[in-house]
Amino acid sequence: MNLKIYELAREMLVSNAFLFKIPMFILCFLFLIVAVNKNLRKFLRYLLVFSFLFLTASFIFIIRFHLIIHQVVNLDTQPIPIENIYLYVPPWIESEKLFFWLFLFFFFALLKVTNTIDENTKIGISIVSAIFSGLVAIFDPFSNPLPLLDLEIREFFRAISHFDYYQIISFKARATYLYNTPYMWIHPPMLFTSYALFLLSIPSLTMGIFSETKKMLEYESFSYQQIKAGYIFLTAGMLIGYPWAIEAWKGESWWWSPKINVSIMMWLFYSAYIHMRIYSGRKWPGRLSCVIGVVSFVALVFTYITTYLIPGVHSYG
Amino acid sequence: MANLKRELFEFYLVMVTVLLFSSLGIIFLVSTFYSWYMSLNYPYWTNTPVYLEYVRSLNVIAFSLTLILIITLFFCLEKRVLRIREGVLVTIFSLLSGFLFWILNGVSQAIVASMSVIFLFYLYLLIKLLVGKDIRSEKMHILEKSGSLVLHASYALIVMSVGGLNEHPLQIPFFWAGTIFCLAGKMLSFYGRSTVKCFKRFFSLSQS
């Protein structure tokens, strides 16, 4: 019965995924139009408001799906002598990561895009919004919701029906250390907040590289406002993950694993940017700090992709 | 002339810091590609002696660079609270104590020893700053000035906890202390003025 409810909830998301995909593609197209058409650029803020509201509404459906998982994936109705299991799955894992990143990006973009902002920065933010809306439309969280957790949940229900205690207990252990841990509610949101702020900095950083000195200093200054806030969240998120890693990967070799490596690499590059930035008021150090900022963002993208690409304890690769 | 020299010294110090951060980043990147290549060609390579050798060499390279970085960051404080002579003396003392512990008790204790010396000296500077003795720049508020001091002290504490106190009961308490120092230091460094304003407003409210 519980499996049926879960499958129904999942199927509802999958069959209605087009209701998310199509508007996201339209948003991608609209952001591109705003980027190229000067007369329509004044609507960027409205477009950001609409996009944020649309993602908020979609997020409610994701949260609802997670609540159903919490309600049905347990041993409540089963005559099994094992202490009960409840899943508290945070709504920013697996296929929901990119969605959550964009959601936070729209939130910060809304705060930053005002009438006083430079026209080129607006173009840059429109282009970034278009690219990410397109990406989220392609890799949306509804077409195949939580694919790995789905396999685990199906295996869990199979184990219950076959009284496979070993599988049930191992599911419980994974739930404790992977999904239910309080760290999952703090570590990823902090990192995605920093990613969103770094993403917001990238248009002005890129323009800073190619602008004349006075403009470059303005762009660099705008980027720095986002990066310094993002850097605090990045550092906090990474540090908070450390005690959890010790506990969750006890006995495993994780310190030099690829995902950990690239995350530290990204932090090191952003640290280099922050230090380079001390002399950004000068001509070439200012430009160099823009270059290091862009390199740091490339490192961020690589860090994000590594999770799916390179095998390791912190990856799906 | 002396001012110009000091300015130039500080500029090169920052450039060296940037270079060290970037070099460490590149080492982490190269190690990722190596690890990827190995996992593609030898899927069980983490169970072989090659992996142990890989971890050992990376530990040595990364720790050496981190030590140089921490010492460089130490000298970045020069213009605010640190006299260069004091800095050189503490660096020598830290390296010597590290070397001594390395010979006597191994690498972990060497890390703890040299980082402890640096951390304790940061604490001494912080106390000196807070009680208002021998502060070199009077323009900034005491909280703003303590920002980079607290931040750099946290790096020593975190490196000590991660590199030297592995599986020790004090590892996690020290790590959390380092985390709190790090975040407080960043807040004071990046948002010093706003923090000072908040403090002033809070104290004026509580007094009234």
Side-chain angles (χ1 to χ4, degrees):
Chain A
M1 183 61 191
N2 279 2
L3 177 63
K4 272 268 177 289
I5 297 170
Y6 164 74
E7 280 179 336
L8 218 65
R10 194 171 189 275
E11 188 48 40
M12 198 206 85
L13 288 188
V14 175
S15 56
N16 292 311
F18 73 97
L19 291 175
F20 176 78
K21 267 179 177 291
I22 294 170
M24 282 313 286
F25 277 122
I26 294 171
L27 279 178
C28 167
F29 181 66
L30 290 176
F31 275 119
L32 279 179
I33 290 175
V34 167
V36 293
N37 191 317
K38 199 180 170 188
N39 296 328
L40 293 174
R41 208 159 298 140
K42 58 183 177 234
F43 295 114
L44 174 62
R45 201 174 151 72
Y46 297 111
L47 197 54
L48 283 170
V49 171
F50 177 77
S51 309
F52 179 69
L53 290 177
F54 178 66
L55 288 200
T56 308
S58 311
F59 201 37
I60 291 169
F61 284 95
I62 291 177
I63 293 169
R64 187 178 165 270
F65 179 56
H66 283 247
L67 284 174
I68 292 172
I69 290 176
H70 170 69
Q71 282 160 5
V72 299
V73 182
N74 53 55
L75 300 170
D76 272 349
T77 55
Q78 310 299 325
I80 288 175
I82 294 177
E83 201 190 333
N84 211 340
I85 303 164
Y86 289 102
L87 274 182
Y88 300 93
V89 183
W92 37 72
I93 64 163
E94 293 191 39
S95 51
E96 296 153 355
K97 284 180 178 177
L98 197 62
F99 171 91
F100 189 61
W101 184 359
L102 185 68
F103 174 71
L104 291 174
F105 169 75
F106 281 147
F107 173 73
F108 289 117
L110 254 179
L111 296 180
K112 287 289 166 184
V113 176
T114 54
N115 290 335
T116 53
I117 201 173
D118 171 78
E119 274 299 296
N120 288 334
T121 310
K122 279 185 185 170
I123 297 175
I125 290 174
S126 307
I127 293 172
V128 167
S129 303
I131 294 171
F132 269 73
S133 301
L135 283 172
V136 171
I138 296 165
F139 304 106
D140 72 297
F142 299 106
S143 298
N144 187 14
L146 309 173
L148 293 176
L149 182 67
D150 180 55
L151 290 177
E152 295 224 42
I153 289 173
R154 284 172 199 281
E155 179 58 26
F156 171 70
F157 281 117
R158 190 207 59 79
I160 289 174
S161 60
H162 289 79
F163 297 96
D164 186 346
Y165 293 141
Y166 175 76
Q167 277 303 329
I168 296 171
I169 288 168
S170 74
F171 176 79
K172 192 177 174 178
R174 278 198 302 283
T176 308
Y177 284 109
L178 197 62
Y179 301 116
N180 291 354
T181 171
Y183 289 108
M184 267 307 256
W185 292 85
I186 307 167
H187 171 71
M190 280 196 159
L191 296 182
F192 282 115
T193 305
S194 72
Y195 287 10
L197 287 161
F198 292 151
L199 183 60
L200 193 57
S201 75
I202 201 67
S204 43
L205 275 178
T206 316
M207 282 179 296
I209 297 174
F210 303 105
S211 307
E212 41 92 22
T213 312
K214 199 181 157 216
K215 266 283 176 208
M216 178 268 288
L217 295 178
E218 278 176 34
Y219 288 135
E220 208 285 328
S221 173
F222 178 82
S223 309
Y224 177 63
Q225 298 306 318
Q226 328 312 321
I227 292 179
K228 69 175 178 182
Y231 185 64
I232 293 178
F233 280 105
L234 179 72
T235 311
M238 283 177 70
L239 288 176
I240 285 168
Y242 179 73
W244 177 29
I246 293 177
E247 205 180 318
W249 297 322
K250 205 168 245 175
E252 285 186 73
S253 180
W254 60 272
W255 180 251
W256 288 104
S257 79
K259 173 73 180 178
I260 310 288
N261 273 4
V262 286
S263 304
I264 297 173
M265 172 196 73
M266 169 183 58
W267 182 85
L268 287 164
F269 282 137
Y270 273 112
S271 302
Y273 166 82
I274 293 286
H275 282 82
M276 189 68 226
R277 215 262 155 200
I278 296 171
Y279 287 97
S280 67
R282 297 181 188 183
K283 197 176 172 183
W284 72 261
R287 213 171 292 278
L288 185 60
S289 77
C290 287
V291 173
I292 297 176
V294 172
V295 170
S296 307
F297 186 76
V298 174
L300 188 163
V301 174
F302 183 60
T303 304
Y304 183 81
I305 296 171
T306 299
T307 313
Y308 302 96
L309 207 63
I310 308 177
V313 286
H314 200 312
S315 311
Y316 310 126
Chain B
M1 193 65 187
N3 267 353
L4 195 73
K5 259 188 177 174
R6 210 181 82 183
E7 219 172 87
L8 207 64
F9 169 75
E10 282 166 6
F11 177 72
Y12 284 124
L13 206 60
V14 170
M15 290 303 127
V16 170
T17 313
V18 170
L19 200 70
L20 282 167
F21 270 121
S22 309
S23 315
L24 265 166
I26 290 164
I27 288 167
F28 276 89
L29 180 68
V30 172
S31 75
T32 304
F33 280 120
Y34 178 75
S35 168
W36 192 11
Y37 167 81
M38 290 301 276
S39 60
L40 284 176
N41 291 292
Y42 312 97
Y44 299 104
W45 82 290
T46 49
N47 301 329
T48 64
V50 181
Y51 180 73
L52 292 178
E53 186 53 34
Y54 159 81
V55 170
R56 200 196 61 81
S57 358
L58 280 177
N59 279 343
V60 170
I61 299 168
F63 177 68
S64 314
L65 274 176
T66 309
L67 188 65
I68 299 169
L69 180 67
I70 284 185
I71 289 167
T72 315
L73 286 172
F74 192 47
F75 284 100
C76 288
L77 290 172
E78 198 272 331
K79 62 186 170 201
R80 294 186 192 161
V81 283
L82 181 78
R83 286 209 159 78
I84 201 103
R85 223 176 114 200
E86 284 178 335
V88 172
L89 278 175
V90 173
T91 304
I92 293 170
F93 184 58
S94 151
L95 292 176
L96 274 180
S97 56
F99 183 70
L100 199 71
F101 272 85
W102 178 49
I103 292 171
L104 294 174
N105 296 324
V107 183
S108 299
Q109 293 218 10
I111 296 172
V112 175
S114 45
M115 289 302 120
S116 302
V117 170
I118 290 182
F119 178 72
L120 288 174
F121 190 67
Y122 273 123
L123 270 189
Y124 159 73
L125 290 177
L126 191 65
I127 292 166
K128 209 166 76 164
L129 187 72
L130 292 175
V131 296
K133 275 185 190 170
D134 203 17
I135 303 166
R136 301 182 74 183
S137 159
E138 292 295 338
K139 281 179 192 165
M140 290 158 82
H141 191 277
I142 205 162
L143 278 175
E144 279 183 273
K145 256 188 289 187
S146 57
S148 62
L149 197 60
V150 173
L151 177 60
H152 290 180
S154 78
Y155 291 149
L157 211 53
I158 289 168
V159 170
M160 190 205 304
S161 161
V162 173
L165 293 171
N166 235 337
E167 291 179 17
H168 191 279
L170 283 176
Q171 184 187 18
I172 298 299
F174 269 56
F175 184 82
W176 283 125
T179 303
I180 291 165
F181 264 66
C182 185
L183 297 178
K186 279 193 202 307
M187 281 303 289
L188 289 172
S189 302
F190 296 153
Y191 300 102
R193 272 166 222 280
S194 321
T195 316
V196 169
K197 268 185 198 167
C198 281
F199 263 85
K200 279 182 178 168
R201 198 171 295 168
F202 176 76
F203 282 114
S204 65
L205 277 177
S206 61
Q207 275 170 6
S208 63

